[in-house]
Amino acid sequence: MAAIVLILNGPNLNRLGTREPDIYGTSTFADLVALCAAEAMALDMVADVRQSNDEAELIGWLHEAADSKTPVIINPAAFTHYSYALRDACALVEAPLIEVHLSNPAAREEFRQTSVISGVADGVIAGFGIDSYRLALQAVSRLTTA
Ligand code: DQA
């Protein structure tokens, strides 16, 4: 049976396509879901893609992943830069956890250059638009079939 990968997306990512397209591109959230589904299938995995603007809901989903030992790809969006609660929830996940970003936060405003999540992630992929998710799925596949 194909393994499930949980792909979590934080605040404002439901607005992809129209949100600052010069930074985040013109692909919509639906495009992102379709890309993840196709890439996961090619890697013999199933992508469970979710988005929430609510920190508590994201934390609940991370608890689910911790309990079920499910690998996680997470774009914490603005929570990346200050949510210790989200970081602590990510730290509970024992399966691989990859942090992804559409843009490259390291090349943007100073407040984006801190990630409180990276220290508890297995790795970070940033700056490749929605392709960051494709690369993250490939990383999860390698880490789980190694
Ligand atoms: C983001 C980068 C964050 O700084 C920002 O708050 C986002 C999106 C990205 O994918 O590039 O909402 O995580």
Side-chain angles (χ1 to χ4, degrees):
M1 210 181 71
I4 293 177
V5 183
L6 196 54
I7 304 183
L8 302 182
N9 294 279
N12 303 307
L13 292 170
N14 53 325
R15 312 289 293 201
L16 280 182
T18 52
R19 175 193 180 200
E20 301 182 86
D22 45 320
I23 296 172
Y24 299 114
T26 51
S27 300
T28 63
F29 187 72
D31 295 334
L32 173 60
V33 173
L35 173 141
C36 290
E39 185 66 22
M41 195 191 284
L43 295 165
D44 197 23
M45 300 189 295
V46 173
D48 180 350
V49 188
R50 307 181 191 178
Q51 189 278 331
S52 179
N53 297 320
D54 178 354
E55 189 179 23
E57 188 163 36
L58 291 163
I59 290 169
W61 290 338
L62 286 163
H63 291 174
E64 236 182 73
D67 290 341
S68 57
K69 304 203 184 315
T70 302
V72 174
I73 293 169
I74 183 165
N75 184 343
F79 289 140
T80 305
H81 312 301
Y82 67 91
S83 176
Y84 298 122
L86 206 60
R87 176 200 165 98
D88 287 350
C90 286
L92 294 172
V93 176
E94 287 170 30
L97 183 142
I98 312 287
E99 175 185 345
V100 294
H101 299 282
L102 297 149
S103 67
N104 178 4
R108 298 181 61 195
E109 303 96 316
E110 202 173 336
F111 77 90
R112 295 187 203 276
Q113 295 177 17
T114 296
S115 168
V116 300
I117 306 296
S118 300
V120 293
D122 289 278
V124 183
I125 298 171
F128 301 102
I130 62 172
D131 253 355
S132 292
Y133 289 75
R134 192 199 302 274
L135 296 168
L137 278 159
Q138 290 170 9
V140 167
S141 171
R142 286 175 197 210
L143 289 170
T144 54
T145 54

